[in-house]
Amino acid sequence: MTEKDFIPKPYSSALEKGSFTWSSPSNIALVKYWGKKENQIPANPSISFTLDACKTTTELKFSKKSNSCNYSFDIFLEGEKKDDFKPKIETFFKRIEVYLPFLKDYHFVIETSNTFPHSSGIASSASGMSALALCLMSVEKELNNKSEEYFMQKASFLARLGSGSACRSLEGDLIVWGKHNEIPNSSDLFGVKYPFKIHKNFKNYHDTILLVDKGEKQVSSTIGHNLMHNHPYAKQRFEQAHDNLSKLKSVFKEGNLNEFIAIVESEALTLHAMMMTSMPYFILMKPNTMEIINKIWKFRQETGLHLCFTLDAGANVHLLYPEKEAEDVFKLINNELVAYCQNGHYICDRIGFGAKKVK
Ligand code: PMV
């Protein structure tokens, strides 16, 4: 597949108005994407668990307008008009218009809501952009019916142009994005399902998100990605991501949780090490992020259980652990870790299976 394969031939059907609703989850990367080339092409391959509870539901209403001069849309979050979201959506529309040439033919009303609070410090871009991309693909499907495989690939391709990691949210439970020699059909253009067998240890894997800091990030992901250009350690980092993905293959096959922990925690800390060694440098972890990490290491040493952490581009901590150890981990969260969460807030999530069409 190349980018050109997603440019449609002139549409064969006409469509006046309608509406589609999709709900799409967030995802958490195990091997991180940090650094990109032009057109949202990742500098290295990444792999993520699709989440289940943290999701965005988006209804897209569309009606044909008399001219096709401009984009015309209104956007609402939880029922409230959000004009401040408009520039982001407009940029997204500009990027994808060549692939969806009907965008200027309709007025759109986008109504979106999240299962997690907007100000939780959890980025809604992955779930939000993938839900919107799926709604837009449902419109295209009415105009020119193509295969289910094409639908999902193109939806992921479009979501990527909205926010890179969004392309990993459409399906589950483990998604690879970025070309990797040992993963057949992996692509820089869209996410694909991890094609090999996954050991039962990873079924129902938990992700409890400890909300350490709900504030706006001081440095956006866009700026962070750009700082990987001319970064002194970029080359080694991108090679390391390829190696870690290769190593995860046998981990997923054999269910080796200790090896899983070593790779995942190293990836999280490497991501933040890249931030700290950028020029300008920055730190997104907070003191409570470190407190939690130390508690996790102590807990592991004392119990021999397989709780580990990963981090996004922020201060919140994702606790990853197998289903059969959940009860012991819940005790740790409630007895000790909750004290480090802002207002005691955390979100219980687990591995999920991707987006769903609601209507
Ligand atoms: O999708 P973006 O541009 O917001 O970048 C996300 C980057 C990380 O969340 C830090 C890592 C990842 O692979 O999801």
Side-chain angles (χ1 to χ4, degrees):
M1 278 298 222
T2 69
E3 273 134 330
K4 283 205 183 85
D5 295 316
F6 292 116
I7 300 176
K9 300 214 172 68
Y11 295 126
S12 46
S13 311
L15 185 63
E16 275 306 309
K17 60 178 185 175
S19 97
F20 291 104
T21 306
W22 278 85
S23 87
S24 190
S26 188
N27 69 75
I28 181 69
L30 305 170
V31 172
K32 308 288 180 181
Y33 146 62
W34 197 245
K36 60 181 163 185
K37 305 175 196 162
E38 237 188 310
N39 298 327
Q40 304 269 99
I41 297 299
N44 64 260
S46 57
I47 187 165
S48 53
F49 276 155
T50 305
L51 296 183
D52 184 48
C54 287
K55 56 187 179 211
T56 299
T57 300
T58 297
E59 177 177 18
L60 179 76
K61 296 186 193 133
F62 54 97
S63 50
K64 195 107 189 204
K65 53 190 180 74
S66 51
N67 65 65
S68 301
C69 307
N70 289 310
Y71 306 116
S72 167
F73 64 92
D74 290 310
I75 175 151
F76 297 83
L77 174 68
E78 267 110 44
E80 204 179 301
K81 198 152 188 273
K82 279 285 185 193
D83 286 341
D84 50 326
F85 285 7
K86 281 190 137 182
K88 197 160 184 198
I89 302 292
E90 186 137 346
T91 305
F92 178 50
F93 278 7
K94 274 188 198 140
R95 279 192 198 153
I96 63 172
E97 198 190 349
V98 52
Y99 308 106
L100 294 179
F102 61 80
L103 285 178
K104 284 186 179 151
D105 299 341
Y106 294 93
H107 174 70
F108 295 101
V109 177
I110 306 164
E111 299 206 26
T112 183
S113 60
N114 298 322
T115 55
F116 48 91
H118 184 61
S119 59
S120 62
I122 302 189
S124 56
S125 54
S127 53
M129 282 300 176
S130 52
L132 181 56
L134 285 158
C135 290
L136 290 166
M137 278 307 293
S138 286
V139 178
E140 177 169 83
K141 197 173 161 69
E142 295 288 308
L143 295 166
N144 95 12
N145 200 357
K146 304 270 261 183
S147 71
E148 190 57 25
E149 191 192 0
Y150 177 86
F151 181 97
M152 288 313 271
Q153 277 183 352
K154 183 162 171 182
S156 174
F157 171 86
L158 297 174
R160 185 196 103 240
L161 293 171
S163 169
S165 58
C167 77
R168 297 189 311 237
S169 271
L170 292 82
E171 297 179 283
D173 42 357
L174 209 46
I175 300 292
V176 177
W177 166 41
K179 184 81 200 125
H180 187 277
N181 281 342
E182 295 165 33
I183 312 233
N185 301 324
S186 57
S187 169
D188 286 345
L189 300 180
F190 46 79
V192 297
K193 276 195 205 180
Y194 179 73
F196 305 114
K197 243 184 113 87
I198 304 165
H199 192 276
K200 63 175 173 17
N201 282 354
F202 297 102
K203 294 285 169 226
N204 258 332
Y205 224 72
H206 285 249
D207 178 2
T208 300
I209 308 161
L210 304 180
L211 303 177
V212 170
D213 184 38
K214 304 190 202 169
E216 186 99 346
K217 278 187 283 192
Q218 296 122 318
V219 181
S220 71
S221 289
T222 310
I223 293 175
H225 285 294
N226 280 336
L227 289 172
M228 289 303 282
H229 294 297
N230 307 317
H231 190 292
Y233 307 131
K235 189 168 170 282
Q236 295 92 318
R237 159 59 199 151
F238 301 146
E239 282 166 14
Q240 180 198 39
H242 281 265
D243 292 346
N244 279 342
L245 199 40
S246 297
K247 287 186 192 148
L248 273 180
K249 269 182 66 186
S250 57
V251 168
F252 285 129
K253 187 165 170 225
E254 282 147 28
N256 184 338
L257 292 177
N258 290 331
E259 182 71 4
F260 175 78
I261 290 170
I263 295 168
V264 167
E265 291 191 345
S266 163
E267 275 288 321
L269 294 179
T270 301
L271 168 70
H272 284 258
M274 290 299 113
M275 299 173 189
M276 291 185 215
T277 47
S278 301
M279 193 52 79
Y281 43 83
F282 59 104
I283 301 180
L284 296 183
M285 290 191 280
K286 298 281 181 195
N288 280 350
T289 312
M290 288 308 303
E291 295 286 354
I292 292 166
I293 291 175
N294 282 314
K295 288 274 177 194
I296 292 169
W297 287 344
K298 186 161 168 274
F299 175 81
R300 232 173 32 226
Q301 205 167 28
E302 285 169 2
T303 63
L305 295 177
H306 300 95
L307 168 66
C308 76
F309 70 87
T310 188
L311 306 166
D312 255 343
N316 296 333
V317 181
H318 288 248
L319 302 179
L320 300 177
Y321 49 101
E323 166 89 350
K324 64 173 187 241
E325 298 179 10
E327 232 169 90
D328 290 289
V329 176
F330 288 155
K331 277 187 208 143
L332 174 76
I333 294 171
N334 289 319
N335 294 341
E336 297 194 45
L337 302 183
V338 73
Y340 302 108
C341 300
Q342 211 177 338
N343 305 322
H345 285 168
Y346 62 88
I347 297 175
C348 291
D349 210 338
R350 58 175 65 212
I351 201 164
F353 294 91
K356 289 195 188 90
K357 192 173 177 189
V358 182
K359 190 165 73 93

